[in-house]
Amino acid sequence: MTTYRPIATEALPEECSVAVIGSGFGASIAAARVAAATDDVLVLERGREWLPDDFPADFADVRRAVRSRRNPLGLFDLQLGADVDRLTANGLGGGSLIYANVLLEARPEVFDAQWPSGIDADELRPYADRVRAVLRPQVEDRHTPKAEALAHLGRLHGRGPERLPIAVKLHGEPGPNAAGVHQPTCTRCGNCVTGCRVGAKTTMWMSYLPMARAAGARIVTRTEVTRVVPGSGRRRWEVHGLRHPASGRRRTPMPFVVHADVVVLGAGAIGTTGILLRSADAGLATSAQLGTRFSGNADSLSVSYNAAGRRSGTGARDAAAPEVAIGPTITSTLDLRTGPDGYLVQDGALPYPVAEALRRVLGLRFALSADSRVWCDIRPGGCPPGCGALEHSQVWLAMGTDSSEGRVVLDGRGQPRIVWPEAGAQAVYARQLADLRVLSDGSSARFVGNPRRALLQRGVPAATPITVHPLGGAAMAEDVDHGVCDPDGRVFQADGDVHPGLYVVDGALCPTSTGANPSLTIASLAERAVERLVERDLPTLVGSPLRTGGTR
């Protein structure tokens, strides 16, 4: 069994050359590349550090890991809104801790509208290669029954499913990854999205963050940044925030200020936009476009409940030694991106810690229905002990292109929320749900098309979208009239110049949906922006001498 040690430190300095806010795909890449180029890099993460053994093992753990005002260090940041629901991560490693590991490049047509002219598929490809060299994605080569129904839907559309590249150590012997961190081989437990307890999933905590730490970066957790404002002489910028206590009776966070020459915002689309909105309220001059062009990436989620045949779409109780090889959360996709409302449909797996809750919820909901029979009870020979309706169920995921017309605003407590009336009325969602329903009908399963309705919240409209891929809010553009940042991630001033030493490197930059799982696009944009930061800007922004080869 592999023993992992924390990489974060408790000591919070008062100043640094470069402050990186967040630790997801964009921020971790920035931390690793900048730390390789210069000394005195500080990473500030609002959540706590999660070692593999810390991730939830059952539903009680999941409940304790939901972020709230009373539990600011919870892993799962679930926000239920009037227009759009969202689920993001809160911890060292950001969204990579609970993502489904898929690394797909956006198709060329994604960049045809709304994106700056210098950003396209050809421009990002070498940076995507750089990301793949670190994360080393692999393709599942084993038989995965949970993906079989995609072939049925594919026949209706005249195409077949494809296996996906995923950032998981699926093959080969356990050993060091590109960052020198030991990784075991995947056990195919299916519990990726509640955190990998095995250590086979290549998160930012397993890759770019150790690279940053090895290069000298200081990583501090439980530091929630609230705003960034121009400095008063000590350094160029002041980073204001709250330090959350690790545990104990003292639950009141303590305010802090870090003085920095360069600030790199990578707190995620919602987090980064929220910081900029609060900074604007505190006097930072920004574009009037701040908060606009929000996209939920046309995400959908459904469940085919109680199918006629047994599925392998429920995660294993024992992640280290699963009784059945479920496979990673996502292994395959059916590509239906044929027009402006095109989308992907992907197989999914219910992680065991969540599945046990849905077993009760869905069982209660359909207990009195005419079709409430459990198929494994009536099949000849029955099913193995412990098999029930949920073992005959399957999660399906879809994502594509929405209108990117949402807005991120601050509520009365200064927290970001999404405003997007009629978001779920877009045609792409209706088309997705029609296909997802086919996946249920083809296996005699009960279709559950909205997770909040599955939780018996009857007043929730069926079409309320939930996104796990929030994008935009501080979108890049050619000029200040059309976006918040320039194509290199530099934040515009209100007059059209850029703020020296203030950057955005995460999904907030994306002015539209990516039409696919966005992690590789976000990471590629970050690699590109940081390359320019290091080679063009850093020599004049910080006083310490630069090393060579910082972005390679």
Side-chain angles (χ1 to χ4, degrees):
M1 181 177 178
T2 304
T3 301
Y4 294 98
R5 295 182 178 180
I7 61 174
T9 181
E10 283 293 306
L12 178 61
E14 293 184 357
E15 60 183 299
C16 63
S17 294
V18 181
V20 179
I21 314 304
S23 62
F25 283 93
S28 293
I29 288 171
R33 302 311 189 188
V34 175
T38 188
D39 294 326
D40 201 18
V41 175
L42 174 66
V43 178
L44 300 175
E45 164 56 46
R46 71 175 184 175
R48 52 164 281 200
E49 185 169 10
W50 293 79
L51 276 61
D53 285 344
D54 297 335
F55 289 117
D58 55 33
F59 183 62
D61 289 345
V62 169
R63 291 184 62 183
R64 287 190 289 267
V66 175
R67 186 172 187 265
S68 65
R69 294 178 67 181
R70 293 186 176 183
N71 184 28
L73 303 181
L75 174 61
F76 306 104
D77 191 356
L78 175 63
Q79 300 294 325
L80 305 180
D83 301 326
V84 178
D85 300 336
R86 59 180 170 91
L87 173 63
T88 54
N90 181 54
L92 188 61
S96 73
L97 299 177
I98 63 171
Y99 85 133
N101 324 304
V102 177
L103 296 180
L104 274 180
E105 292 185 53
R107 287 173 55 159
E109 57 265 30
V110 165
F111 306 99
D112 289 345
Q114 302 296 334
W115 289 73
S117 58
I119 305 295
D120 57 24
D122 290 336
E123 172 70 10
L124 293 183
R125 190 160 295 117
Y127 300 102
D129 290 340
R130 194 174 296 176
V131 175
R132 284 187 284 253
V134 175
L135 300 185
R136 296 179 178 177
Q138 297 180 338
V139 174
E140 175 64 278
D141 60 358
R142 296 189 185 182
H143 177 61
T144 52
K146 69 187 178 72
E148 288 177 346
L150 285 177
H152 166 69
L153 178 60
R155 284 190 290 272
L156 298 179
H157 288 278
R159 62 190 64 192
E162 304 169 3
R163 290 297 175 95
L164 289 164
I166 55 177
V168 177
K169 186 176 178 59
L170 293 167
H171 318 304
E173 295 298 319
N177 63 16
V181 178
H182 181 84
Q183 279 190 273
T185 306
C186 178
T187 64
R188 274 79 175 181
C189 72
N191 295 330
C192 303
V193 296
T194 47
C196 181
R197 292 176 57 84
V198 175
K201 174 176 171 174
T202 310
T203 63
M204 297 298 101
W205 187 84
M206 282 278 188
S207 56
Y208 280 98
L209 286 172
M211 290 167 58
R213 173 69 183 273
R218 289 172 289 180
I219 301 172
V220 184
T221 57
R222 300 183 284 104
T223 49
E224 183 173 5
V225 172
T226 54
R227 66 187 185 277
V228 177
V229 295
S232 55
R234 187 170 177 178
R235 297 268 189 170
R236 186 174 290 106
W237 296 101
E238 291 182 3
V239 178
H240 292 253
L242 299 171
R243 186 79 190 273
H244 295 286
S247 60
R249 294 181 179 179
R250 184 175 60 85
R251 296 182 179 274
T252 303
M254 300 296 293
F256 71 85
V257 179
V258 171
H259 303 267
D261 291 320
V262 177
V263 175
V264 181
L265 293 170
I270 302 295
T272 287
T273 304
I275 291 170
L276 286 173
L277 286 168
R278 288 189 293 268
S279 302
D281 285 349
L284 181 70
T286 63
S287 166
Q289 297 298 314
L290 179 60
T292 66
R293 300 221 58 79
F294 175 83
S295 166
N297 210 41
D299 287 347
S300 292
L301 181 152
S302 73
V303 178
S304 296
Y305 178 69
N306 194 18
R310 183 176 171 119
R311 301 288 183 183
S312 60
T314 304
R317 179 191 298 267
D318 185 353
E323 295 180 1
V324 178
I326 293 101
T329 294
I330 295 175
T331 65
S332 304
T333 189
L334 184 64
D335 191 344
L336 303 176
R337 294 175 294 181
T338 56
D341 293 327
Y343 49 90
L344 299 172
V345 179
Q346 298 172 348
D347 65 315
L350 279 167
Y352 174 79
V354 174
E356 289 309 291
L358 283 180
R359 186 186 304 280
R360 298 179 179 89
V361 170
L362 294 178
L364 176 63
R365 178 176 179 183
F366 297 124
L368 301 179
S369 302
D371 60 350
S372 63
R373 57 188 174 180
V374 176
W375 285 101
C376 57
D377 292 339
I378 63 175
R379 288 179 61 202
C383 282
C387 182
L390 209 61
E391 282 67 37
H392 285 244
S393 301
Q394 172 72 53
V395 170
W396 302 107
L397 308 164
M399 66 204 70
T401 302
D402 59 30
S403 65
S404 304
E405 293 179 340
R407 289 189 301 120
V408 180
V409 301
L410 297 179
D411 64 16
R413 297 186 298 110
Q415 297 301 309
R417 66 182 180 91
I418 302 166
V419 177
W420 196 350
E422 304 299 320
Q426 298 174 80
V428 61
Y429 291 113
R431 294 182 60 201
Q432 286 176 349
L433 287 176
D435 272 337
L436 294 172
R437 188 178 294 277
V438 168
L439 289 168
S440 293
D441 294 343
S443 58
S444 300
R446 185 66 179 259
F447 177 68
V448 181
N450 182 293
R452 285 175 74 178
R453 289 176 68 86
L455 294 174
L456 305 181
Q457 295 190 17
R458 296 183 179 180
V460 177
T464 301
I466 180 169
T467 181
V468 295
H469 301 134
L471 300 168
M476 60 169 62
E478 303 281 1
D479 55 59
V480 70
D481 294 328
H482 296 90
V484 178
C485 302
D486 76 359
D488 297 338
R490 298 180 294 183
V491 178
F492 283 125
Q493 299 184 45
D495 62 5
D497 289 337
V498 296
H499 286 286
L502 184 59
Y503 300 81
V504 171
V505 294
D506 57 26
L509 288 172
C510 297
T512 70
S513 308
T514 63
N517 314 68
S519 55
L520 184 57
T521 300
I522 294 169
S524 303
L525 289 169
E527 286 277 17
R528 180 184 181 278
V530 175
E531 180 182 74
R532 283 153 174 74
L533 163 60
V534 168
E535 296 181 355
R536 179 191 61 202
D537 302 340
L538 211 55
T540 60
L541 292 173
V542 301
S544 56
L546 300 186
R547 309 175 190 137
T548 59
T551 59
R552 295 296 187 271

